[in-house]
Amino acid sequence: METIAAILEKAQQRAQEMGLPYKGALLPIEAYRILQESAQAQLVDVRSHAELDWVGRIPGATEIELRSYPGMQPNPGFLDQLSGQVDKKLPVLFICRSGARSSQAAAMAGAADFTDCYNILEGFEGDKDERGHRGKLSGWKAAGLPWVQS
């Protein structure tokens, strides 16, 4: 079994190879291992309240909308809310539906002096399957990681 240090190193290497502006890119199972084994790691779910209510939540995640439903308008208070709820000096793992908004959130946080930002690739629901449905092929749910329905 890989150590947390090895997982983080792999995530940092992945981010460099992908040209990402934040520290690392994690697969869902890697993120879960870090959250289980590191008391300092913080999970921030940036999905909209509607997504959290209708699709499901990750127990223990800090929930801060990056964009609000309907219309997916940017949350102008995102960085202030993040600074008020998360320690800038500790690792922050961001997740959204597919990994796109969480990538944006990680980049924004990194630019705002959060020193240890990671995006969770594939997000909560992952890619769409051949029928256009999410949650079966990839992502947090498909990996069988803990989540609850409201």
Side-chain angles (χ1 to χ4, degrees):
M1 187 177 281
E2 279 186 300
T3 66
I4 295 302
I7 291 170
L8 291 174
E9 185 178 322
K10 187 188 299 182
Q12 292 163 13
Q13 204 170 6
R14 202 179 279 135
Q16 281 184 329
E17 290 168 3
M18 296 171 76
L20 300 173
Y22 41 82
K23 194 148 186 189
L26 295 159
L27 297 173
I29 193 71
E30 294 170 337
Y32 183 69
R33 280 268 326 277
I34 290 165
L35 291 164
Q36 292 301 296
E37 296 184 28
S38 172
Q40 295 185 332
Q42 307 163 96
L43 177 62
V44 177
D45 193 327
V46 301
R47 292 178 294 148
S48 70
H49 294 306
E51 289 172 294
L52 296 166
D53 290 342
W54 297 337
V55 180
R57 292 181 146 82
I58 300 172
T62 299
E63 299 169 354
I64 306 171
E65 287 184 309
L66 183 65
R67 298 183 172 276
S68 301
Y69 180 87
M72 302 310 278
Q73 296 301 311
N75 172 4
F78 176 75
L79 286 174
D80 288 336
Q81 292 168 13
L82 186 65
S83 293
Q85 297 180 53
V86 174
D87 189 328
K88 286 184 173 196
K89 296 178 185 100
L90 298 178
V92 185
L93 286 57
F94 292 92
I95 192 167
C96 67
R97 180 185 67 192
S98 64
R101 276 175 287 165
S102 52
S103 179
Q104 182 183 6
M108 289 171 62
D113 296 327
F114 282 77
T115 56
D116 219 1
C117 298
Y118 293 83
N119 181 32
I120 300 175
L121 301 170
E122 303 173 5
F124 185 72
E125 292 184 90
D127 296 325
K128 291 181 181 178
D129 65 16
E130 67 282 347
R131 297 183 345 184
H133 298 143
R134 294 185 189 272
K136 306 271 191 237
L137 293 179
S138 59
W140 188 274
K141 284 175 75 173
L145 301 174
W147 65 281
V148 295
Q149 190 81 47
S150 298

